[in-house]
Amino acid sequence: MCLAALAIVGSASVVAVGAFASTPSHLPFGHVDKVEQIPGGFQTGGWAIDPDTSAPIAVHVYMDGHLQVAVLANEYRPDIATRYPSLGGDHGFLVNVMAPAGTHTVCVYAINFGAGSGNPGIGCRTLTLNYSPSGAITSLVQYGSGFHVTGWARDPDTSAAVTVKVYYDGTQ
């Protein structure tokens, strides 16, 4: 059902630019809490509920308009159990997706169960994946006849320590 506002101003009538829409009560809903880079791709997580069932429902993760993975939103979320006690807390999801470097649009859809029609989107995010190592020299101090270098380095392809090589005039 959609209701529009009508106002009478002098002798002219004006229809409001926005409409007041009621939300169908049988459609699933939820939220995408995160979309972040991990080694080799991205991780997305959140929750999804269909008011027609207390059972977990499916969510579909799309990247750039293409289905990447379908998962069951069945991880326990105490915050959801508290907020929706009659439906329980087993409605969370956390999924890893492999993806190439570049800028991508990630969208998650809650898959309808029972009454109602449609699979509403519960969140979209734009994410730029960059797998190039990076780092910085934070200090370079002369030390006797040599020098002492400190800094940091990271490689988004791994969570392990990164090997760093220091060169002086082209020699390691």
PDB file of all heavy atoms in Angstrom, residues 41-72:
ATOM      1  N   GLY A  41      40.512 -11.623  -1.327  1.00  0.00           N
ATOM      2  CA  GLY A  41      39.121 -11.264  -1.611  1.00  0.00           C
ATOM      3  C   GLY A  41      38.530 -10.357  -0.564  1.00  0.00           C
ATOM      4  O   GLY A  41      39.187  -9.455  -0.052  1.00  0.00           O
ATOM      5  N   PHE A  42      37.266 -10.638  -0.222  1.00  0.00           N
ATOM      6  CA  PHE A  42      36.597  -9.823   0.789  1.00  0.00           C
ATOM      7  C   PHE A  42      35.750 -10.712   1.686  1.00  0.00           C
ATOM      8  O   PHE A  42      35.419 -11.846   1.348  1.00  0.00           O
ATOM      9  CB  PHE A  42      35.727  -8.733   0.143  1.00  0.00           C
ATOM     10  CG  PHE A  42      34.556  -9.230  -0.652  1.00  0.00           C
ATOM     11  CD1 PHE A  42      33.320  -9.441  -0.051  1.00  0.00           C
ATOM     12  CD2 PHE A  42      34.678  -9.486  -2.006  1.00  0.00           C
ATOM     13  CE1 PHE A  42      32.241  -9.892  -0.791  1.00  0.00           C
ATOM     14  CE2 PHE A  42      33.596  -9.934  -2.753  1.00  0.00           C
ATOM     15  CZ  PHE A  42      32.378 -10.145  -2.145  1.00  0.00           C
ATOM     16  N   GLN A  43      35.417 -10.171   2.840  1.00  0.00           N
ATOM     17  CA  GLN A  43      34.538 -10.838   3.791  1.00  0.00           C
ATOM     18  C   GLN A  43      33.340  -9.939   4.017  1.00  0.00           C
ATOM     19  O   GLN A  43      33.486  -8.726   4.172  1.00  0.00           O
ATOM     20  CB  GLN A  43      35.257 -11.083   5.111  1.00  0.00           C
ATOM     21  CG  GLN A  43      34.413 -11.820   6.134  1.00  0.00           C
ATOM     22  CD  GLN A  43      35.200 -12.086   7.402  1.00  0.00           C
ATOM     23  OE1 GLN A  43      35.451 -11.166   8.174  1.00  0.00           O
ATOM     24  NE2 GLN A  43      35.595 -13.330   7.600  1.00  0.00           N
ATOM     25  N   THR A  44      32.161 -10.529   4.005  1.00  0.00           N
ATOM     26  CA  THR A  44      30.958  -9.776   4.325  1.00  0.00           C
ATOM     27  C   THR A  44      30.187 -10.517   5.405  1.00  0.00           C
ATOM     28  O   THR A  44      30.236 -11.749   5.481  1.00  0.00           O
ATOM     29  CB  THR A  44      30.072  -9.523   3.086  1.00  0.00           C
ATOM     30  OG1 THR A  44      28.967  -8.678   3.455  1.00  0.00           O
ATOM     31  CG2 THR A  44      29.539 -10.810   2.488  1.00  0.00           C
ATOM     32  N   GLY A  45      29.523  -9.761   6.236  1.00  0.00           N
ATOM     33  CA  GLY A  45      28.763 -10.354   7.327  1.00  0.00           C
ATOM     34  C   GLY A  45      27.618  -9.461   7.735  1.00  0.00           C
ATOM     35  O   GLY A  45      27.607  -8.268   7.451  1.00  0.00           O
ATOM     36  N   GLY A  46      26.659 -10.065   8.391  1.00  0.00           N
ATOM     37  CA  GLY A  46      25.495  -9.335   8.878  1.00  0.00           C
ATOM     38  C   GLY A  46      24.451 -10.309   9.367  1.00  0.00           C
ATOM     39  O   GLY A  46      24.783 -11.369   9.897  1.00  0.00           O
ATOM     40  N   TRP A  47      23.195  -9.976   9.150  1.00  0.00           N
ATOM     41  CA  TRP A  47      22.102 -10.831   9.598  1.00  0.00           C
ATOM     42  C   TRP A  47      20.899 -10.663   8.675  1.00  0.00           C
ATOM     43  O   TRP A  47      20.770  -9.648   7.990  1.00  0.00           O
ATOM     44  CB  TRP A  47      21.716 -10.547  11.046  1.00  0.00           C
ATOM     45  CG  TRP A  47      21.322  -9.126  11.317  1.00  0.00           C
ATOM     46  CD1 TRP A  47      22.149  -8.087  11.646  1.00  0.00           C
ATOM     47  CD2 TRP A  47      19.993  -8.581  11.273  1.00  0.00           C
ATOM     48  NE1 TRP A  47      21.422  -6.931  11.808  1.00  0.00           N
ATOM     49  CE2 TRP A  47      20.094  -7.212  11.583  1.00  0.00           C
ATOM     50  CE3 TRP A  47      18.748  -9.114  10.994  1.00  0.00           C
ATOM     51  CZ2 TRP A  47      18.986  -6.375  11.634  1.00  0.00           C
ATOM     52  CZ3 TRP A  47      17.640  -8.279  11.047  1.00  0.00           C
ATOM     53  CH2 TRP A  47      17.767  -6.924  11.370  1.00  0.00           C
ATOM     54  N   ALA A  48      20.041 -11.698   8.661  1.00  0.00           N
ATOM     55  CA  ALA A  48      18.827 -11.668   7.843  1.00  0.00           C
ATOM     56  C   ALA A  48      17.750 -12.510   8.512  1.00  0.00           C
ATOM     57  O   ALA A  48      18.027 -13.590   9.032  1.00  0.00           O
ATOM     58  CB  ALA A  48      19.111 -12.198   6.445  1.00  0.00           C
ATOM     59  N   ILE A  49      16.526 -11.996   8.490  1.00  0.00           N
ATOM     60  CA  ILE A  49      15.372 -12.642   9.120  1.00  0.00           C
ATOM     61  C   ILE A  49      14.184 -12.562   8.168  1.00  0.00           C
ATOM     62  O   ILE A  49      13.989 -11.540   7.507  1.00  0.00           O
ATOM     63  CB  ILE A  49      14.997 -11.926  10.445  1.00  0.00           C
ATOM     64  CG1 ILE A  49      16.063 -12.154  11.497  1.00  0.00           C
ATOM     65  CG2 ILE A  49      13.629 -12.366  10.948  1.00  0.00           C
ATOM     66  CD1 ILE A  49      15.808 -11.415  12.795  1.00  0.00           C
ATOM     67  N   ASP A  50      13.389 -13.624   8.135  1.00  0.00           N
ATOM     68  CA  ASP A  50      12.099 -13.577   7.469  1.00  0.00           C
ATOM     69  C   ASP A  50      11.049 -13.720   8.577  1.00  0.00           C
ATOM     70  O   ASP A  50      11.078 -14.695   9.330  1.00  0.00           O
ATOM     71  CB  ASP A  50      11.957 -14.714   6.459  1.00  0.00           C
ATOM     72  CG  ASP A  50      10.723 -14.555   5.596  1.00  0.00           C
ATOM     73  OD1 ASP A  50       9.625 -14.334   6.165  1.00  0.00           O
ATOM     74  OD2 ASP A  50      10.836 -14.650   4.373  1.00  0.00           O
ATOM     75  N   PRO A  51      10.127 -12.755   8.701  1.00  0.00           N
ATOM     76  CA  PRO A  51       9.152 -12.813   9.789  1.00  0.00           C
ATOM     77  C   PRO A  51       8.192 -14.000   9.690  1.00  0.00           C
ATOM     78  O   PRO A  51       7.472 -14.279  10.642  1.00  0.00           O
ATOM     79  CB  PRO A  51       8.399 -11.479   9.679  1.00  0.00           C
ATOM     80  CG  PRO A  51       8.637 -11.014   8.288  1.00  0.00           C
ATOM     81  CD  PRO A  51       9.969 -11.566   7.874  1.00  0.00           C
ATOM     82  N   ASP A  52       8.192 -14.726   8.562  1.00  0.00           N
ATOM     83  CA  ASP A  52       7.316 -15.885   8.409  1.00  0.00           C
ATOM     84  C   ASP A  52       7.889 -17.154   9.023  1.00  0.00           C
ATOM     85  O   ASP A  52       7.214 -18.182   9.030  1.00  0.00           O
ATOM     86  CB  ASP A  52       7.018 -16.134   6.924  1.00  0.00           C
ATOM     87  CG  ASP A  52       6.194 -15.015   6.319  1.00  0.00           C
ATOM     88  OD1 ASP A  52       5.390 -14.405   7.041  1.00  0.00           O
ATOM     89  OD2 ASP A  52       6.366 -14.752   5.116  1.00  0.00           O
ATOM     90  N   THR A  53       9.137 -17.105   9.502  1.00  0.00           N
ATOM     91  CA  THR A  53       9.749 -18.290  10.085  1.00  0.00           C
ATOM     92  C   THR A  53      10.810 -17.892  11.108  1.00  0.00           C
ATOM     93  O   THR A  53      11.440 -16.846  10.975  1.00  0.00           O
ATOM     94  CB  THR A  53      10.394 -19.189   9.005  1.00  0.00           C
ATOM     95  OG1 THR A  53      10.961 -20.352   9.637  1.00  0.00           O
ATOM     96  CG2 THR A  53      11.479 -18.463   8.228  1.00  0.00           C
ATOM     97  N   SER A  54      11.006 -18.737  12.102  1.00  0.00           N
ATOM     98  CA  SER A  54      12.116 -18.510  13.038  1.00  0.00           C
ATOM     99  C   SER A  54      13.359 -19.256  12.560  1.00  0.00           C
ATOM    100  O   SER A  54      14.434 -19.094  13.127  1.00  0.00           O
ATOM    101  CB  SER A  54      11.737 -18.968  14.455  1.00  0.00           C
ATOM    102  OG  SER A  54      11.435 -20.348  14.456  1.00  0.00           O
ATOM    103  N   ALA A  55      13.220 -20.048  11.501  1.00  0.00           N
ATOM    104  CA  ALA A  55      14.355 -20.792  10.944  1.00  0.00           C
ATOM    105  C   ALA A  55      15.285 -19.842  10.189  1.00  0.00           C
ATOM    106  O   ALA A  55      14.852 -18.805   9.681  1.00  0.00           O
ATOM    107  CB  ALA A  55      13.855 -21.886   9.999  1.00  0.00           C
ATOM    108  N   PRO A  56      16.561 -20.179  10.097  1.00  0.00           N
ATOM    109  CA  PRO A  56      17.480 -19.379   9.293  1.00  0.00           C
ATOM    110  C   PRO A  56      17.051 -19.347   7.827  1.00  0.00           C
ATOM    111  O   PRO A  56      16.443 -20.309   7.333  1.00  0.00           O
ATOM    112  CB  PRO A  56      18.814 -20.112   9.447  1.00  0.00           C
ATOM    113  CG  PRO A  56      18.680 -20.904  10.707  1.00  0.00           C
ATOM    114  CD  PRO A  56      17.228 -21.292  10.780  1.00  0.00           C
ATOM    115  N   ILE A  57      17.353 -18.246   7.156  1.00  0.00           N
ATOM    116  CA  ILE A  57      17.048 -18.117   5.727  1.00  0.00           C
ATOM    117  C   ILE A  57      18.334 -17.949   4.936  1.00  0.00           C
ATOM    118  O   ILE A  57      19.389 -17.664   5.494  1.00  0.00           O
ATOM    119  CB  ILE A  57      16.086 -16.940   5.446  1.00  0.00           C
ATOM    120  CG1 ILE A  57      16.737 -15.603   5.822  1.00  0.00           C
ATOM    121  CG2 ILE A  57      14.758 -17.142   6.161  1.00  0.00           C
ATOM    122  CD1 ILE A  57      15.969 -14.387   5.346  1.00  0.00           C
ATOM    123  N   ALA A  58      18.221 -18.102   3.634  1.00  0.00           N
ATOM    124  CA  ALA A  58      19.375 -17.942   2.748  1.00  0.00           C
ATOM    125  C   ALA A  58      19.625 -16.467   2.464  1.00  0.00           C
ATOM    126  O   ALA A  58      18.696 -15.653   2.455  1.00  0.00           O
ATOM    127  CB  ALA A  58      19.140 -18.687   1.438  1.00  0.00           C
ATOM    128  N   VAL A  59      20.890 -16.138   2.258  1.00  0.00           N
ATOM    129  CA  VAL A  59      21.277 -14.829   1.735  1.00  0.00           C
ATOM    130  C   VAL A  59      22.164 -15.077   0.519  1.00  0.00           C
ATOM    131  O   VAL A  59      22.900 -16.062   0.463  1.00  0.00           O
ATOM    132  CB  VAL A  59      22.004 -13.935   2.772  1.00  0.00           C
ATOM    133  CG1 VAL A  59      21.093 -13.562   3.912  1.00  0.00           C
ATOM    134  CG2 VAL A  59      23.256 -14.579   3.292  1.00  0.00           C
ATOM    135  N   HIS A  60      22.035 -14.197  -0.462  1.00  0.00           N
ATOM    136  CA  HIS A  60      22.854 -14.278  -1.667  1.00  0.00           C
ATOM    137  C   HIS A  60      23.768 -13.066  -1.713  1.00  0.00           C
ATOM    138  O   HIS A  60      23.316 -11.942  -1.517  1.00  0.00           O
ATOM    139  CB  HIS A  60      21.980 -14.304  -2.922  1.00  0.00           C
ATOM    140  CG  HIS A  60      21.223 -15.582  -3.086  1.00  0.00           C
ATOM    141  ND1 HIS A  60      20.402 -15.802  -4.170  1.00  0.00           N
ATOM    142  CD2 HIS A  60      21.156 -16.709  -2.328  1.00  0.00           C
ATOM    143  CE1 HIS A  60      19.868 -17.017  -4.076  1.00  0.00           C
ATOM    144  NE2 HIS A  60      20.304 -17.579  -2.956  1.00  0.00           N
ATOM    145  N   VAL A  61      25.043 -13.326  -1.996  1.00  0.00           N
ATOM    146  CA  VAL A  61      26.040 -12.262  -2.088  1.00  0.00           C
ATOM    147  C   VAL A  61      26.394 -12.091  -3.566  1.00  0.00           C
ATOM    148  O   VAL A  61      26.820 -13.040  -4.232  1.00  0.00           O
ATOM    149  CB  VAL A  61      27.308 -12.606  -1.273  1.00  0.00           C
ATOM    150  CG1 VAL A  61      28.354 -11.511  -1.425  1.00  0.00           C
ATOM    151  CG2 VAL A  61      26.951 -12.818   0.197  1.00  0.00           C
ATOM    152  N   TYR A  62      26.197 -10.874  -4.050  1.00  0.00           N
ATOM    153  CA  TYR A  62      26.510 -10.534  -5.439  1.00  0.00           C
ATOM    154  C   TYR A  62      27.703  -9.584  -5.470  1.00  0.00           C
ATOM    155  O   TYR A  62      27.856  -8.741  -4.584  1.00  0.00           O
ATOM    156  CB  TYR A  62      25.324  -9.825  -6.093  1.00  0.00           C
ATOM    157  CG  TYR A  62      24.227 -10.757  -6.538  1.00  0.00           C
ATOM    158  CD1 TYR A  62      23.385 -11.355  -5.617  1.00  0.00           C
ATOM    159  CD2 TYR A  62      24.035 -11.019  -7.888  1.00  0.00           C
ATOM    160  CE1 TYR A  62      22.373 -12.208  -6.023  1.00  0.00           C
ATOM    161  CE2 TYR A  62      23.024 -11.872  -8.306  1.00  0.00           C
ATOM    162  CZ  TYR A  62      22.193 -12.460  -7.372  1.00  0.00           C
ATOM    163  OH  TYR A  62      21.207 -13.303  -7.787  1.00  0.00           O
ATOM    164  N   MET A  63      28.531  -9.728  -6.491  1.00  0.00           N
ATOM    165  CA  MET A  63      29.623  -8.785  -6.731  1.00  0.00           C
ATOM    166  C   MET A  63      29.488  -8.317  -8.178  1.00  0.00           C
ATOM    167  O   MET A  63      29.432  -9.152  -9.097  1.00  0.00           O
ATOM    168  CB  MET A  63      30.989  -9.436  -6.510  1.00  0.00           C
ATOM    169  CG  MET A  63      32.154  -8.466  -6.734  1.00  0.00           C
ATOM    170  SD  MET A  63      33.772  -9.235  -6.479  1.00  0.00           S
ATOM    171  CE  MET A  63      33.893 -10.243  -7.952  1.00  0.00           C
ATOM    172  N   ASP A  64      29.386  -7.025  -8.360  1.00  0.00           N
ATOM    173  CA  ASP A  64      29.266  -6.430  -9.691  1.00  0.00           C
ATOM    174  C   ASP A  64      28.115  -7.048 -10.484  1.00  0.00           C
ATOM    175  O   ASP A  64      28.216  -7.294 -11.688  1.00  0.00           O
ATOM    176  CB  ASP A  64      30.585  -6.545 -10.460  1.00  0.00           C
ATOM    177  CG  ASP A  64      31.743  -5.879  -9.733  1.00  0.00           C
ATOM    178  OD1 ASP A  64      31.496  -4.879  -9.024  1.00  0.00           O
ATOM    179  OD2 ASP A  64      32.881  -6.355  -9.863  1.00  0.00           O
ATOM    180  N   GLY A  65      27.009  -7.335  -9.782  1.00  0.00           N
ATOM    181  CA  GLY A  65      25.821  -7.843 -10.436  1.00  0.00           C
ATOM    182  C   GLY A  65      25.784  -9.335 -10.683  1.00  0.00           C
ATOM    183  O   GLY A  65      24.842  -9.843 -11.288  1.00  0.00           O
ATOM    184  N   HIS A  66      26.799 -10.067 -10.220  1.00  0.00           N
ATOM    185  CA  HIS A  66      26.863 -11.513 -10.440  1.00  0.00           C
ATOM    186  C   HIS A  66      26.865 -12.253  -9.105  1.00  0.00           C
ATOM    187  O   HIS A  66      27.629 -11.903  -8.204  1.00  0.00           O
ATOM    188  CB  HIS A  66      28.120 -11.880 -11.234  1.00  0.00           C
ATOM    189  CG  HIS A  66      28.186 -11.212 -12.567  1.00  0.00           C
ATOM    190  ND1 HIS A  66      27.444 -11.613 -13.649  1.00  0.00           N
ATOM    191  CD2 HIS A  66      28.898 -10.127 -12.980  1.00  0.00           C
ATOM    192  CE1 HIS A  66      27.694 -10.825 -14.672  1.00  0.00           C
ATOM    193  NE2 HIS A  66      28.575  -9.910 -14.297  1.00  0.00           N
ATOM    194  N   LEU A  67      26.028 -13.296  -9.012  1.00  0.00           N
ATOM    195  CA  LEU A  67      25.965 -14.101  -7.804  1.00  0.00           C
ATOM    196  C   LEU A  67      27.325 -14.734  -7.537  1.00  0.00           C
ATOM    197  O   LEU A  67      27.906 -15.375  -8.405  1.00  0.00           O
ATOM    198  CB  LEU A  67      24.897 -15.199  -7.936  1.00  0.00           C
ATOM    199  CG  LEU A  67      24.764 -16.150  -6.743  1.00  0.00           C
ATOM    200  CD1 LEU A  67      24.301 -15.398  -5.505  1.00  0.00           C
ATOM    201  CD2 LEU A  67      23.807 -17.287  -7.082  1.00  0.00           C
ATOM    202  N   GLN A  68      27.822 -14.542  -6.309  1.00  0.00           N
ATOM    203  CA  GLN A  68      29.102 -15.125  -5.907  1.00  0.00           C
ATOM    204  C   GLN A  68      28.905 -16.323  -4.993  1.00  0.00           C
ATOM    205  O   GLN A  68      29.599 -17.312  -5.106  1.00  0.00           O
ATOM    206  CB  GLN A  68      29.976 -14.081  -5.194  1.00  0.00           C
ATOM    207  CG  GLN A  68      30.313 -12.891  -6.054  1.00  0.00           C
ATOM    208  CD  GLN A  68      31.114 -13.277  -7.275  1.00  0.00           C
ATOM    209  OE1 GLN A  68      32.180 -13.862  -7.173  1.00  0.00           O
ATOM    210  NE2 GLN A  68      30.595 -12.948  -8.444  1.00  0.00           N
ATOM    211  N   VAL A  69      27.958 -16.207  -4.065  1.00  0.00           N
ATOM    212  CA  VAL A  69      27.746 -17.283  -3.101  1.00  0.00           C
ATOM    213  C   VAL A  69      26.357 -17.149  -2.484  1.00  0.00           C
ATOM    214  O   VAL A  69      25.845 -16.046  -2.312  1.00  0.00           O
ATOM    215  CB  VAL A  69      28.848 -17.274  -2.009  1.00  0.00           C
ATOM    216  CG1 VAL A  69      28.784 -16.026  -1.167  1.00  0.00           C
ATOM    217  CG2 VAL A  69      28.808 -18.507  -1.146  1.00  0.00           C
ATOM    218  N   ALA A  70      25.759 -18.305  -2.191  1.00  0.00           N
ATOM    219  CA  ALA A  70      24.513 -18.369  -1.431  1.00  0.00           C
ATOM    220  C   ALA A  70      24.829 -19.095  -0.133  1.00  0.00           C
ATOM    221  O   ALA A  70      25.437 -20.165  -0.154  1.00  0.00           O
ATOM    222  CB  ALA A  70      23.446 -19.125  -2.222  1.00  0.00           C
ATOM    223  N   VAL A  71      24.478 -18.488   0.984  1.00  0.00           N
ATOM    224  CA  VAL A  71      24.763 -19.087   2.290  1.00  0.00           C
ATOM    225  C   VAL A  71      23.517 -19.009   3.160  1.00  0.00           C
ATOM    226  O   VAL A  71      22.619 -18.211   2.914  1.00  0.00           O
ATOM    227  CB  VAL A  71      25.941 -18.394   3.019  1.00  0.00           C
ATOM    228  CG1 VAL A  71      27.228 -18.538   2.234  1.00  0.00           C
ATOM    229  CG2 VAL A  71      25.640 -16.944   3.299  1.00  0.00           C
ATOM    230  N   LEU A  72      23.497 -19.842   4.175  1.00  0.00           N
ATOM    231  CA  LEU A  72      22.412 -19.833   5.149  1.00  0.00           C
ATOM    232  C   LEU A  72      22.809 -18.894   6.288  1.00  0.00           C
ATOM    233  O   LEU A  72      23.901 -19.011   6.849  1.00  0.00           O
ATOM    234  CB  LEU A  72      22.184 -21.249   5.675  1.00  0.00           C
ATOM    235  CG  LEU A  72      20.892 -21.506   6.423  1.00  0.00           C
ATOM    236  CD1 LEU A  72      19.681 -21.196   5.540  1.00  0.00           C
ATOM    237  CD2 LEU A  72      20.855 -22.954   6.871  1.00  0.00           C
TER     238      LEU A  72
END
